[in-house]
Amino acid sequence: QVQLVESGGGLVQPGGSLRLSCAASGKFFSVLSMGWYRQAPGNERELVATIPNGGSPNYADSMKDRVTCSRDAAKNTVYLQIDNLKPEDTAVYYCHAEATVGVLLTPRDFWGQGTQVTVSS
C-alpha cells in the first residue's frame, strides 16, 4: 500500500557528512509522519529522527547534535542529514512512515528496505 524507497547510503570517512532521502508512493490517504531508524549488527532497531505531518522533528538524544531531519510534504519525501559521522554510526538506516490506508483510514506503519551507511577510513 505504501512503498518507501531510500537512497543516499554508502561509505563515508569519519567526520564526513551524508544525506539520505526517502520517497513514499502507493495508495494511501495521508502520511501522518515520516522518519528514520537504524540498526547496527547485533543491535535492535533504534530511532534516529521522526517528523510528524506539519510538526517539528524529534531526534534521538544521542544524535540530535549531528542530524537534521526535514520533510517535503508535497513530495511525500523525508531527508536525513548526518554530519560529523562516526564509525559507530555504521548501520542500516530504515525509512519509516505512518500512513492512513483503506476505506477506514487506518493508521499503519511502513518500512523501507534499508540503506547501508558505513563509516570507515
Side-chain angles (χ1 to χ4, degrees), residues 23-94:
S25 62
K27 294 184 178 180
F28 53 89
F29 181 75
S30 66
V31 175
L32 302 179
S33 69
M34 295 187 76
W36 295 90
Y37 289 71
R38 69 180 184 179
Q39 187 168 17
N43 290 354
E44 294 184 354
R45 193 172 297 188
E46 63 178 3
L47 171 73
V48 178
T50 186
I51 181 168
N53 196 26
S56 300
N58 298 304
Y59 298 108
D61 287 342
S62 61
M63 296 188 71
K64 61 183 179 181
D65 293 334
R66 300 187 292 117
V67 300
T68 303
C69 184
S70 59
R71 184 176 163 191
D72 186 334
K75 296 181 179 179
N76 287 315
T77 300
V78 65
Y79 306 94
L80 185 71
Q81 173 81 23
I82 313 175
D83 298 317
N84 190 22
L85 279 155
K86 305 175 181 181
E88 51 264 40
D89 293 321
T90 296
V92 178
Y93 285 70
Y94 294 92

Side-chain angles (χ1 to χ4, degrees), residues 3 5 7 15 19 24 26 58 72 104 106 109 120:
Q3 292 79 46
V5 179
S7 61
R19 188 182 193 226
N58 298 304
D72 186 334
L104 298 180
T106 304
D109 292 316
S120 175

